[in-house]
Amino acid sequence: MKHPTSALLHAYWNGLRGARAAPERGEIEPGEIRHILADSLILEVEPSQREATVRLAGTRICALFGAELRGRGFAGLWGEGPAADPWRLIEVVVQETVGIVVGLVGTTREGDEIDLELLLLPLRHRGKTQARVIGALSAGTNPTWLGLRPVTALRTVSLRILTGSEIAADPDRPPEPANDQEEPRRPRLVVHRGGRA
């Protein structure tokens, strides 16, 4: 994580969850993270429909896109065109119950670009681990056009999966599943042995 907002939110989330895979949504106290609320968001996830909707978005995130984002589809933030499928990001978080850090480039209609960092972390909501995601979207800099010309498209440039200290040292034994029983765990990453040619 490059941005301090991401590091602060991750530390808070990690402290709340303890030995669990994810904390409960009801445990989040806005006052505890008041310094990063403007860059924070909560997504409502519908795995059966492969959709995520913005439930809450901080003021700086809304200013970045030039609109209130509540109720807007998460995938819509990427705009039109052949962008990476944003649902894949959510799917990793909710299926594997892990956090991710995504490097993004935001673009305006006028061609301005801004480097962004997106942190997504799983939350339990009423006993389900696939219903909510908390995150932060932070800009590396504050350009003069920010708030005047909205970002209309996002491009994914990097992805890092965050692993916790609870993961077993034995790579052949994955951590205990934390997902709901109706959604079976499926492997997402396959490592093939090989070497340099």
Side-chain angles (χ1 to χ4, degrees), residues 47 95 127-130 179-185:
Q95 289 289 337
K128 295 182 180 180
T129 55
Q130 298 176 330
N179 294 335
D180 305 308
Q181 294 305 315
E182 62 266 10
E183 291 285 336
R185 274 180 82 90

Side-chain angles (χ1 to χ4, degrees), residues 25-147:
R25 162 65 182 95
E27 294 177 63
I28 303 294
E29 289 290 337
E32 299 272 331
I33 54 173
R34 62 187 169 278
H35 301 299
I36 59 172
L37 284 178
D39 295 314
S40 301
L41 56 89
I42 291 182
L43 304 176
E44 180 177 359
V45 181
E46 292 291 341
S48 61
Q49 298 173 19
R50 297 175 55 88
E51 289 181 359
T53 305
V54 178
R55 293 272 300 178
L56 296 169
T59 54
R60 271 196 291 264
I61 297 175
C62 292
L64 184 66
F65 290 94
E68 172 60 53
L69 299 181
R70 184 183 176 120
R72 187 167 168 184
F74 180 68
L77 301 181
W78 267 252
E80 302 290 324
D85 181 7
W87 172 252
R88 300 294 290 167
L89 304 175
I90 299 295
E91 192 173 38
V92 169
V93 174
V94 298
Q95 289 289 337
E96 304 300 325
T97 321
V98 295
I100 62 171
V101 178
V102 185
L104 301 169
V105 174
T107 309
T108 66
R109 280 193 184 87
E110 294 79 13
D112 302 306
E113 291 191 344
I114 185 169
D115 291 326
L116 302 165
E117 183 173 83
L118 174 66
L119 171 71
L120 296 175
L121 302 163
L123 286 178
R124 293 183 65 81
H125 183 66
R126 298 182 181 158
K128 295 182 180 180
T129 55
Q130 298 176 330
R132 297 287 188 274
V133 170
I134 190 170
L137 181 63
S138 312
T141 60
N142 288 325
T144 56
W145 54 264
L146 191 62

Side-chain angles (χ1 to χ4, degrees), residues 172-190:
D172 295 326
R173 194 184 87 199
E176 290 298 315
N179 294 335
D180 305 308
Q181 294 305 315
E182 62 266 10
E183 291 285 336
R185 274 180 82 90
R186 295 179 304 203
R188 296 279 181 236
L189 175 68
V190 177

